Amino acid sequence: MILSSLQNLESCLFVLFPYFSYMLSEGLGLSGIVSILFTGIVMKHYAYSNLSQSSQRFVSAFFELISSLAETFIFIYMGFDIAMEQHSWSHVGFIFFSI
């Protein structure tokens, strides 16, 4: 019972640390994106291997889900933006670059 609650706690902390890093850097007037990038690199190198097996599976599945949802949202947003445009051909380079 105690081990299960600790696995939940370590998974929650692993997911929330990049958010804490982002909020701290934004509060200090620094780049939040760069902060999340370096937090992810450091956490993958040091913190991920110290998680339990079930927490590693959960964290991997969670971040895979979040990345898939973000990618889907970006491409839907780009599609709506292109479809709602007045059909000018000024974005042809951007469309080919995106594909």
Side-chain angles (χ1 to χ4, degrees), residues 28-73:
L28 295 174
L30 303 171
S31 175
I33 301 299
V34 174
S35 173
I36 289 176
L37 175 71
F38 284 107
T39 302
I41 291 170
V42 169
M43 287 181 69
K44 177 65 177 174
H45 187 68
Y46 294 110
Y48 184 76
S49 59
N50 291 322
L51 293 175
S52 63
Q53 291 292 332
S54 63
S55 295
Q56 284 181 353
R57 286 191 305 268
F58 170 76
V59 166
S60 294
F62 178 77
F63 281 115
E64 186 176 330
L65 173 70
I66 294 298
S67 68
S68 295
L69 288 174
E71 182 180 355
T72 302
F73 174 75

Side-chain angles (χ1 to χ4, degrees), residues 80-94:
F80 280 144
D81 185 48
I82 292 170
M84 297 298 169
E85 188 82 17
Q86 292 296 327
H87 298 293
S88 68
W89 291 96
S90 63
H91 299 296
V92 173
F94 178 69

